Structures are given as structure tokens and as C-alpha cells.
Amino acid sequence: MSAFHATRSSRRKDVQLREGLGADPRVTEVRGQGLLIGLDLVSETAAAVVDAAQDAGWIVNMPTPNRIRLAPPLVLTDADVEAFLQAWPAILDKAGT
């Protein structure tokens, strides 16, 4: 994979994640640099979101009670992005967000 292709692919995934996650009304802000993404939630349920995400097979962390941080691996595929975006609403539902 060329550096150009890798950069284009990363930008596409970044946009796809930000738009998909930000579309949920329980997310008040999406920020960060590249694929390092922080999500602010409407409520202080980040700990429950971390647990629900782990139960669903995803690793996220919580820097604050109402913020989730995503730091996906460099080998993240388009299919991984789609799968996470599909799982996200159920993760928030299970967490009571």
C-alpha cells in the first residue's frame, strides 16, 4: 500500500466515523485528530459505555465521565468501521445513554 493510498484511506475512515458517530443525538460533540476521536455524551455514562462496548467486542476508553475516546489500530478496515458504526447505537442503548 502506498503512502498516498494509506493517507486517503485513513481520511475516508475518519470522515465516515465522525459523521456516523456524530449523527446519534446522544453524542454532543466529536473531536480529535485523524482517527484519534473523542466523543462527548449527553450524560455521564462513559463507564457504562466502555463496559457495553467491551461486551460487544470493542475497546474504547473514558477520559472523563461523559467522554469516550477511540484509538483504532492502524490496520482498521472499512469493514471494521462499518461494523462499529452498526454496533454503536446498541452500545449506547445498553449503557443507558
Side-chain angles (χ1 to χ4, degrees), residues 5-6 8 10 12 16-17 28 42 45 50 52 55-56 61 63-64 66 74 96:
H5 177 73
R8 249 180 67 208
S10 176
R12 183 180 65 248
Q16 188 178 9
L17 276 168
T28 60
V42 295
T45 56
V50 168
D55 290 346
N61 62 37
T64 69
N66 71 321
L74 293 176

Side-chain angles (χ1 to χ4, degrees), residues 37-90:
I37 298 173
L39 309 167
D40 287 350
L41 304 172
V42 295
S43 58
E44 294 188 352
T45 56
V49 171
V50 168
D51 292 340
Q54 287 177 347
D55 290 346
W58 302 100
I59 299 172
V60 300
N61 62 37
M62 60 165 265
T64 69
N66 71 321
R67 183 170 300 137
I68 295 295
R69 181 173 33 218
L70 306 177
L74 293 176
V75 295
L76 183 72
T77 66
D78 290 335
D80 294 333
V81 171
E82 280 297 320
F84 184 75
L85 291 174
Q86 289 291 321
W88 184 244

Side-chain angles (χ1 to χ4, degrees), residues 1-13:
M1 176 184 300
S2 71
F4 173 75
H5 177 73
T7 301
R8 249 180 67 208
S9 177
S10 176
R11 285 187 186 144
R12 183 180 65 248
K13 291 171 189 158

